[in-house]
Amino acid sequence: MRRARLLRQLVDSAAWVIGLLAAVFVRYDFVPDLRPLIGVLVVIVLAVLVHTAIDHARQLHRGIHRFASVDDANAVAATTVLVGLMLTAGIVLLSHPPVPVGVPALGGMIALMIMLSVRYLWRARRFRRLRPDRRTAAPVLLFGAGSAGSLLVQSMLRDPAGRWLPVGLLDDDPAKRRLRVQGVPVLGSRDDIAQALAATEAELVVFAVANADAGLVRDIRDRTLAAGATFKVVPSVSELMSQPVEVGDIREVQVTDLLGRHQIDTDLSSIGGYLTGKRILVTGAGGSIGSELCRQIHHFEPAELMMLDRDETSLLAVQLSIDPRARLDDPAVILADVRDAGRMRELFRERQPQVVFHAAALKHLALLQRYPGEAVKTNIIGTLNVLRASGSVERFVNISTDKAADPSSVLGYAKRITERLTAWTARRNRGTFLSVRFGNVLGSRGSVFTTFSAQIAEGGPVTLTHPDVSRYFMTTQEAVHLVIQAAAIGMDGEALVLEMGEPVRIAEVAAQMVALSQKQIPITYTGLRPGEKLHESLFGADEVDRRPFHPLISHVEVPPLDPADLHLIPPGADTEVVIIQLADMCARPAADRSPADTVVHEPSGRASG
């Protein structure tokens, strides 16, 4: 470190010596003249001393490990200009100047050119030493010459023990043709993948566009495999959570990349405004959506993140996924059930959360069709318990589903009722109460993704309900990313509908997963189940798609439902009766009456308030 610091000072001092001497020679038309020699030596000594003093005063010598960086170049330029101005001012004030007035300015310019040139050569030499060894590193092409591709090239070129050496980039943007990124040329567009692979002898294409949709990923993968090369990807923006992409992030393609990626434009400042420094509660924290909510909220540095679930194993798993060193008795972990109204009131009174994400719910359509009373207990009464306890919160976000739009299943009825209960609460509480609605989440527990994965692992067959059934898909990370964004811009009582892209046929999901497994797995069809639609809709028949703030988030009005209007479900009612009652409650007209405590009798005979 000391040697590097001394080297920098010597370089800068020598630059001033050469620069001022050259300026004098220029001033006297390159004819040697010894008369101003003493004056020149005085100016040189002053320049070196002042430059060194300013460096130490600005503590630039402490950043010597960044020698030859852009910051260092900016700093040395500022110091050189300042020294030149000080010397010029001093000469002007003297009655008998030792050198002509223009010498410090001209000498400073020459000295700065020398300093920057030496730094550039130093930087180039250092980067050459950091490059992977061509004899051992495999040549690789990158698709995407944007920010993610540039960072990935930089990361690859700074790892001398790296496995891959970037030899070319591909990008569909015509403005990037014939450009170079860190010295790596852009060789063409997606149409040139096969030719670029042949010309560079690369056998791997890395998809380096972090904010791309699934259609682009599929197309580049198909072209790469057709050319006989291997295909890998970098994570999406929502997975990276604004962290720079690095070589270690490169991974095998997954079905979530091929079906669930969406372009997401996130306003981090608006998110931070309502999460940073706040006490935040996430119910259902052990579930797929709840756990990802906790992980992403953690990045915004809340004052306290409270994770509530009735499943102790899932709670511990999400806690350890955030902090592997966390204590098992951490008060951030709350074991409780939203069905317990008294426990919810006690919790809110003691912990006083300011922001609530209510993700606790039963969500498996087929099971809830068989056991609708459980949907009443957890999804409806549980939500009502949390809503009633949330009288002093600043923001309440109810996690809903696209099945609440024109519902036809128990899950859809129950979720539509919770949207309406949330809208009713919004009219009576001071905070902002809203719902966020989205479709199927790839990778969530119990989704077709996990079902198909298990069936493929067992050798098949993969079972589908219908060859034409389609659903909206989004990865867990992207769905939660938009949930957090939506909650920042949502208005009281609204349901915010996330843009899910085009619906995807379930048969295509199965086909892609079978293809990725590289196994011969048969696909069979079993027929639609009770309450199941052939195609889902994100909006109800009377809802209008308005997007006033964000291109991927729609705002729809929700008619409030007074808890007093919830039907009494008689104890011991059979399944069909409960489903009919749920459908009737869901369809009841909006009422705006004063709040009243209501008891909804559950099929088990136990009452909950």
Side-chain angles (χ1 to χ4, degrees):
M1 196 69 172
R2 187 175 302 171
R3 290 176 60 187
R5 188 180 308 161
L6 178 61
L7 176 62
R8 169 178 168 156
Q9 292 176 351
L10 288 175
V11 168
D12 294 350
S13 299
W16 274 111
V17 172
I18 296 171
L20 290 172
L21 287 175
V24 171
F25 271 85
V26 170
R27 174 64 179 79
Y28 290 101
D29 298 324
F30 299 99
V31 177
D33 191 342
L34 299 178
R35 286 173 298 174
L37 182 58
I38 295 177
V40 173
L41 292 176
V42 171
V43 173
I44 289 174
V45 171
L46 285 174
V48 170
L49 292 176
V50 172
H51 188 104
T52 304
I54 292 175
D55 266 7
H56 280 269
R58 298 175 65 190
Q59 297 185 339
L60 299 179
H61 59 285
R62 294 191 178 183
I64 197 65
H65 61 282
R66 297 183 300 161
F67 183 73
S69 68
V70 174
D71 290 341
D72 182 79
N74 291 334
V76 76
T79 300
T80 304
V81 170
L82 182 58
V83 172
L85 291 173
M86 293 174 66
L87 291 177
T88 301
I91 290 172
V92 170
L93 294 176
L94 293 175
S95 57
H96 300 287
V99 294
V101 174
V103 167
L106 181 58
M109 292 174 58
I110 298 172
L112 180 59
M113 291 174 60
I114 295 172
M115 294 177 199
L116 295 180
S117 298
V118 171
R119 281 163 169 78
Y120 174 79
L121 293 174
W122 180 284
R123 184 184 182 92
R125 174 178 175 270
R126 186 180 65 174
F127 284 167
R128 280 197 301 270
R129 294 173 61 185
L130 290 175
R131 291 172 69 92
D133 191 339
R134 288 182 176 272
R135 296 168 298 180
T136 58
V140 59
L141 291 176
L142 277 64
F143 183 86
S147 57
S150 299
L151 289 172
L152 194 55
V153 168
Q154 186 179 57
S155 180
M156 287 180 171
L157 292 178
R158 293 187 182 182
D159 183 6
R163 299 165 50 197
W164 299 306
L165 177 67
V167 294
L169 295 114
L170 299 159
D171 199 290
D172 287 338
D173 186 354
K176 295 177 181 176
R177 303 289 166 81
R178 292 181 292 276
L179 293 180
R180 286 180 174 267
V181 177
Q182 303 285 323
V184 180
V186 177
L187 302 177
S189 66
R190 72 177 78 182
D191 296 327
D192 303 306
I193 289 177
Q195 296 92 317
L197 286 168
T200 60
E201 298 183 351
E203 297 181 351
L204 170 65
V205 173
V206 176
F207 186 87
V209 185
N211 198 23
D213 59 33
L216 180 59
V217 181
R218 290 195 300 270
D219 185 38
I220 302 304
R221 173 179 174 267
D222 292 343
R223 291 171 183 264
T224 300
L225 297 181
T230 306
F231 181 78
K232 294 181 183 290
V233 299
V234 298
S236 64
V237 165
S238 53
E239 291 179 84
L240 290 169
M241 279 299 295
S242 302
Q243 300 299 315
V245 64
E246 297 179 349
V247 176
D249 295 318
I250 297 174
R251 57 170 171 77
E252 298 289 340
V253 66
Q254 300 170 357
V255 70
T256 52
D257 300 308
L258 302 177
L259 298 172
R261 280 199 180 198
H262 296 76
Q263 293 189 26
I264 296 179
D265 180 21
T266 303
D267 182 2
L268 295 177
S269 61
S270 66
I271 292 176
Y274 82 96
L275 293 180
T276 303
K278 300 290 186 177
R279 297 184 303 277
I280 300 174
L281 170 67
V282 178
T283 71
S288 304
I289 297 298
S291 60
E292 184 61 26
L293 271 168
C294 293
R295 283 187 287 269
Q296 293 197 24
I297 290 170
H298 174 72
H299 287 282
F300 294 100
E301 300 181 352
E304 184 180 10
L305 175 57
M306 295 166 270
M307 298 175 285
L308 182 149
D309 204 287
R310 65 178 182 178
D311 184 341
E312 58 181 347
T313 303
S314 298
L315 264 182
L316 296 179
V318 66
Q319 179 196 29
L320 294 174
S321 72
I322 294 174
D323 183 3
R325 299 168 297 178
R327 304 190 323 271
L328 298 181
D329 59 348
D330 191 332
V333 175
I334 302 172
L335 186 63
D337 193 338
V338 296
R339 296 183 180 189
D340 187 339
R343 180 75 178 96
M344 291 301 102
R345 289 193 298 269
E346 176 188 10
L347 171 67
F348 276 74
R349 185 170 56 250
E350 292 178 354
R351 306 294 290 271
Q352 297 183 350
Q354 296 167 286
V355 180
V356 176
F357 288 89
H358 178 55
L362 300 177
K363 60 182 181 181
H364 299 298
L365 185 147
L367 277 176
L368 294 184
Q369 286 297 125
R370 293 176 58 195
Y371 305 104
E374 298 303 311
V376 173
K377 296 174 188 176
T378 298
N379 293 7
I380 297 178
I381 298 176
T383 299
L384 188 57
N385 291 339
V386 179
L387 283 169
R388 284 174 168 168
S390 300
S392 60
V393 304
E394 297 176 5
R395 192 172 295 265
F396 183 101
V397 182
N398 171 47
I399 305 299
S400 187
T401 170
D402 60 350
K403 293 174 177 58
D406 288 335
S408 62
S409 63
V410 169
L411 175 59
Y413 296 141
K415 280 298 188 178
R416 179 58 174 172
I417 291 170
T418 65
E419 288 183 358
R420 297 186 62 184
L421 291 173
T422 302
W424 183 86
T425 306
R427 297 193 174 189
R428 282 151 180 79
N429 288 15
R430 292 168 54 184
T432 300
F433 287 71
L434 54 93
S435 298
V436 178
R437 183 192 300 170
F438 53 90
N440 294 57
V441 176
L442 280 168
S444 64
R445 290 186 300 186
S447 71
V448 293
F449 176 80
T450 53
T451 302
F452 291 168
S453 295
Q455 292 174 342
I456 291 171
E458 292 296 322
V462 173
T463 58
L464 280 69
T465 57
H466 192 282
D468 295 325
V469 69
S470 67
R471 294 292 182 266
Y472 291 95
F473 282 106
M474 183 174 276
T475 67
T476 308
Q477 293 87 359
E478 288 166 342
V480 169
H481 212 62
L482 279 179
V483 165
I484 295 174
Q485 174 75 49
I489 63 177
M491 305 296 288
D492 235 7
E494 290 182 328
L496 302 176
V497 185
L498 306 188
E499 170 61 56
M500 303 289 290
E502 294 299 320
V504 177
R505 290 174 59 244
I506 302 296
E508 183 179 350
V509 178
Q512 292 284 0
M513 293 185 66
V514 170
L516 287 175
S517 72
Q518 298 182 341
K519 298 179 181 179
Q520 296 296 324
I521 305 291
I523 297 176
T524 61
Y525 298 94
T526 60
L528 291 175
R529 296 167 293 195
E532 189 173 27
K533 296 179 181 179
L534 191 62
H535 306 291
E536 295 287 2
S537 173
L538 294 174
F539 301 94
D542 56 345
E543 293 177 340
V544 179
D545 182 357
R546 297 185 305 105
R547 308 187 185 197
F549 303 117
H550 195 287
L552 299 181
I553 302 173
S554 303
H555 299 240
V556 299
E557 296 183 3
V558 177
L561 177 65
D562 191 331
D565 289 337
L566 294 179
H567 283 317
L568 298 178
I569 298 178
D574 61 30
T575 298
E576 292 301 323
V577 171
V578 177
I579 293 175
I580 292 171
Q581 293 277 41
L582 285 172
D584 183 63
M585 281 192 284
C586 184
R588 285 185 69 83
D592 192 8
R593 53 181 77 164
S594 59
D597 290 332
T598 306
V599 175
V600 180
H601 294 285
E602 303 154 2
S604 62
R606 183 171 60 86
S608 178

